[in-house]
């Protein structure tokens, strides 16, 4: 079944110049990229993204990590679309703990645990269909995705917007 999943190349991945390597690994899935953007992650976005983990002891460090406090302050967000997208991407990512991840996986090859105990595991991938929908809608607006993945509607808005001079 065709489905979509959110992928984030986290600040450690961008700081270590791993973007190309990670995208090359993901291209093995033959999935389609439906959206991509470089994001400076606000505290609000970070906390919403990891809302389900807010009671974990590592939550504060996790928020700092994804905001780029320990690396460059940027994340590359992508939506991958195609058959079995969730499982295919999760498999190439590897296990959450980079020390336990298959060494051939992205996290196994490039991740580390800092002496402070932060899992710098390079990449995020949605866990299930419901999480993927919540996450994609958090990171992207309908106009930033090249296909109609979820129902959307047109509304008239008047907003201040930066334009080229
Ligand atoms: P995943 O990213 O594999 O879906 P998750 O959703 O359980 O894993 O956790 C989100 C992130 O939180 C994970 O990528 C790294 C961090 N994390 C998870 N468990 C951790 C732990 N025991 N110690 C430190 N960081 C952890
Ligand atoms: Mg998860």
């Amino acid at each position: 079944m065709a489905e979509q999943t959110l992928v984030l190349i986290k600040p450690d991945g961008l700081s270590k110049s791993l973007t190309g390597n990670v995208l090359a690994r993901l291209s093995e899935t033959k999935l389609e990229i439906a959206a991509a953007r470089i994001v400076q992650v606000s505290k609000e976005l970070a906390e919403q993204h990891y809302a389900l983990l807010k009671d974990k002891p590592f939550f504060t460090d996790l928020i700092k990590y994804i905001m780029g406090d320990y690396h460059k302050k940027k994340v590359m967000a992508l939506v991958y679309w195609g058959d079995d997208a969730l499982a295919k991407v999760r498999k190439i990512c590897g296990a959450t703990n980079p020390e336990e991840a298959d060494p051939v996986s992205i996290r196994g090859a490039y991740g580390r645990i800092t002496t402070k105990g932060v899992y710098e595991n390079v990449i995020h991938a949605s866990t299930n269909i419901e999480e993927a929908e919540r996450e994609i809608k958090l990171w992207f607006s309908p106009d930033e995705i090249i296909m109609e993945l979820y129902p959307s509607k047109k509304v008239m808005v008047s907003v201040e917007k930066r334009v080229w001079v």
Side-chain angles (χ1 to χ4, degrees), residues 64-81:
K64 285 188 187 164
Y65 163 49
I66 200 70
M67 287 179 68
D69 281 12
Y70 306 131
H71 304 92
K72 288 184 177 165
K73 289 199 178 295
K74 52 184 178 176
V75 158
M76 185 170 191
L78 303 115
V79 176
Y80 279 85
W81 176 88

Side-chain angles (χ1 to χ4, degrees), residues 45-59:
L45 174 58
E47 288 180 348
Q48 283 183 307
H49 177 75
Y50 283 127
L52 298 177
L53 299 174
K54 67 176 188 307
D55 297 327
K56 299 283 185 191
F58 54 82
F59 184 71

Side-chain angles (χ1 to χ4, degrees), residues 14 93 162:
L14 293 175
C93 287
R162 197 178 290 273

Side-chain angles (χ1 to χ4, degrees), residues 10 50 53 58 62 90 96 107 117 119 121 124-125 127:
K10 297 179 179 179
Y50 283 127
L53 299 174
F58 54 82
L62 181 61
R90 291 282 301 189
T96 305
R107 287 167 165 179
Y119 285 18
N121 60 6
H124 166 85
T127 313

Side-chain angles (χ1 to χ4, degrees), residues 7 16 26 28 33 37-38 43 45 48 50 52 64 101 103 114 116-117 123 139 141 143 147 159 163:
V7 168
K16 293 175 177 172
L26 290 169
E28 291 168 22
I33 297 175
R37 60 191 281 253
I38 298 286
K43 192 152 192 270
L45 174 58
Q48 283 183 307
Y50 283 127
L52 298 177
K64 285 188 187 164
T114 68
K116 236 184 125 191
I123 188 166
W139 289 82
S141 63
D143 283 338
M147 11 179 137
V159 287
V163 294

